[in-house]
Amino acid sequence: MAAGVKVVPVILVIGPTKWRSRYRARISPEIEASLPKWWHRRGDPVPWPVDMRACLADALRKEHQPATIMEAEAQRRTSPLETGFFLELLEKLPVGRFFAFWPRGANPAGLLWEFPLLVERAGTPPVTPDTVHVFPQDGVGDWDPETGLFEFTEKGYRTTYQRDISRCGFQIWRWSDYPTLIEIVRRVGRYAPPVKR
Amino acid sequence: MQLEKDPLGYLLRNKAGFAILEFLNDGKARPPREVRHTLGLHPQTLKEAVDHLNGLGLVSLMVPPGSKPRRVGRGVALPIELRVTRSGQEVFQLAEEVASDIRSRVRRHEKTLPAATVDRWLPA
């Protein structure tokens, strides 16, 4: 890399790739317009969570925040392993913040694989409570003002992993529908710049 | 939840939201219970206001690192704290300046303004 070139940390939008079987999200027409081109080619009438992640990264880039998803960085891959590729990206991009997209009805396998990788690096930049942002949809989890506890309410998630992610420390931004999610992601992207590395 | 487009407008209209942001403005993360007890808010009022402030990017629900998860029913619950964001501090400062200006103008025209306006901006 040329000397004097400022490297801007990237926001990596992580999260699930597919819906659970028999679950189909409702995506409004205005969101469909900003989805990446490739989802049309898949032939599925409903975009997948990976398409939504690409859409969120695109929304962030429009706010002049460099953002990407793992699937869009395939040209950087040197490791044959998924875990190796993920860890490579953290250094190569380099990643400054993590935005975890967590919609209702998604197959959480990808997210539950990514979280422990972050937990392993908890407390070391770029994995700090200020840089890990989780965006659960209403129905995935909610908080109780009496007890001050955030509870994962969607059935079928692995509680062992949920326990693990609390070690990491992170920030939660709740949303109900996709237009609201995009607005929140833009705001968080704009207003919470990465901690200097 | 229908989000407001303008955080400043929301803060000026919503007393609970304003009070929560004022309390959190020093930047410390605080448990919801402490915020609720200090400000004397009903749990549902706190939840609605915080959910709105969260959606506007002004207050984050933060799971502190190393916090101890608790088992609830068949799942897990994580303790959270409320923390103002940098944007929250900026918007609050602006809202406070506007509110102070409104208060001084209301005080000047106290006798001619509707009672509800005076009660809203100049509480006894």
Side-chain angles (χ1 to χ4, degrees):
Chain A
M1 189 181 302
V5 175
K6 194 181 168 193
V7 179
V8 181
V10 170
I11 298 170
L12 186 63
V13 184
I14 60 176
T17 300
K18 294 178 181 177
W19 301 115
R20 290 175 180 202
S21 55
R22 284 184 288 175
Y23 182 86
R24 286 293 177 269
R26 285 186 190 167
I27 312 276
S28 51
E30 68 262 37
I31 300 299
E32 281 194 32
S34 55
L35 283 167
K37 297 271 186 291
W38 72 65
W39 85 269
H40 291 287
R41 291 199 293 273
R42 203 183 288 128
D44 197 320
V46 181
W48 289 5
V50 63
D51 304 317
M52 285 311 303
R53 282 194 284 123
C55 180
L56 294 178
D58 187 52
L60 285 163
R61 284 194 297 272
K62 283 179 184 158
E63 290 288 320
H64 308 292
Q65 299 289 336
T68 189
I69 62 172
M70 203 172 151
E71 290 81 351
E73 300 297 326
Q75 78 281 1
R76 294 176 192 266
R77 177 191 277 267
T78 54
S79 169
L81 303 174
E82 284 300 306
T83 307
F85 177 41
F86 184 82
L87 300 178
E88 264 174 29
L89 279 184
L90 298 191
E91 292 305 317
K92 280 185 183 172
L93 285 171
V95 176
R97 283 184 285 174
F98 301 89
F99 280 23
F101 165 58
W102 197 331
R104 200 169 45 227
N107 181 343
L111 198 56
L112 295 179
W113 165 76
E114 285 159 335
F115 269 135
L117 292 177
L118 296 185
V119 172
E120 277 290 304
R121 282 152 192 78
T124 323
V127 187
T128 67
D130 286 326
T131 56
V132 181
H133 301 266
V134 180
F135 297 82
Q137 189 176 15
D138 290 352
V140 169
D142 202 358
W143 67 285
D144 184 341
E146 296 268 13
T147 60
L149 294 173
F150 182 88
E151 188 183 341
F152 293 97
T153 48
E154 194 172 37
K155 288 177 183 170
Y157 281 138
R158 314 268 174 84
T159 52
T160 311
Y161 294 111
Q162 290 166 1
R163 269 201 296 271
D164 277 2
I165 60 175
S166 67
R167 261 190 57 197
C168 195
F170 55 89
Q171 297 181 62
I172 298 170
W173 306 92
R174 294 178 61 238
W175 55 282
S176 49
D177 52 35
Y178 284 88
T180 308
L181 168 69
I182 291 184
E183 188 56 36
I184 293 175
V185 163
R186 279 194 187 131
R187 283 187 169 139
V188 175
R190 198 186 315 149
Y191 294 139
V195 174
K196 283 177 188 163
R197 301 184 79 191
Chain B
M1 179 179 60
Q2 193 62 42
L3 272 186
E4 293 235 8
K5 293 276 178 212
D6 171 26
L8 181 62
Y10 171 75
L11 274 192
L12 290 173
R13 270 196 302 278
N14 192 292
K15 278 173 93 171
F18 191 92
I20 292 166
L21 220 48
E22 186 173 31
F23 184 58
L24 297 173
N25 197 38
D26 60 5
K28 283 185 192 161
R30 292 192 165 90
R33 187 186 290 257
E34 186 188 333
V35 177
R36 191 163 66 79
H37 286 173
T38 309
L39 300 177
L41 295 173
H42 187 276
Q44 206 49 39
T45 309
L46 176 80
K47 180 152 171 55
E48 279 170 18
V50 168
D51 279 345
H52 219 105
L53 293 169
N54 185 244
L56 290 168
L58 307 181
V59 167
S60 69
L61 307 178
M62 192 175 171
V63 176
S67 57
K68 205 173 171 192
R70 297 186 203 159
R71 201 160 246 303
V72 280
R74 292 173 61 192
V76 164
L78 308 174
I80 56 163
E81 291 178 348
L82 309 179
R83 195 177 72 168
V84 68
T85 61
R86 203 181 63 183
S87 143
Q89 284 175 321
E90 285 169 6
V91 175
F92 175 72
Q93 195 183 340
L94 194 56
E96 202 176 38
E97 284 169 20
V98 173
S100 150
D101 189 38
I102 294 173
R103 273 196 298 272
S104 71
R105 283 164 193 266
V106 170
R107 201 168 289 124
R108 221 178 301 149
H109 302 282
E110 198 177 338
K111 289 183 180 150
T112 52
L113 283 168
T117 307
V118 176
D119 290 347
R120 162 72 179 85
W121 292 102
L122 302 176

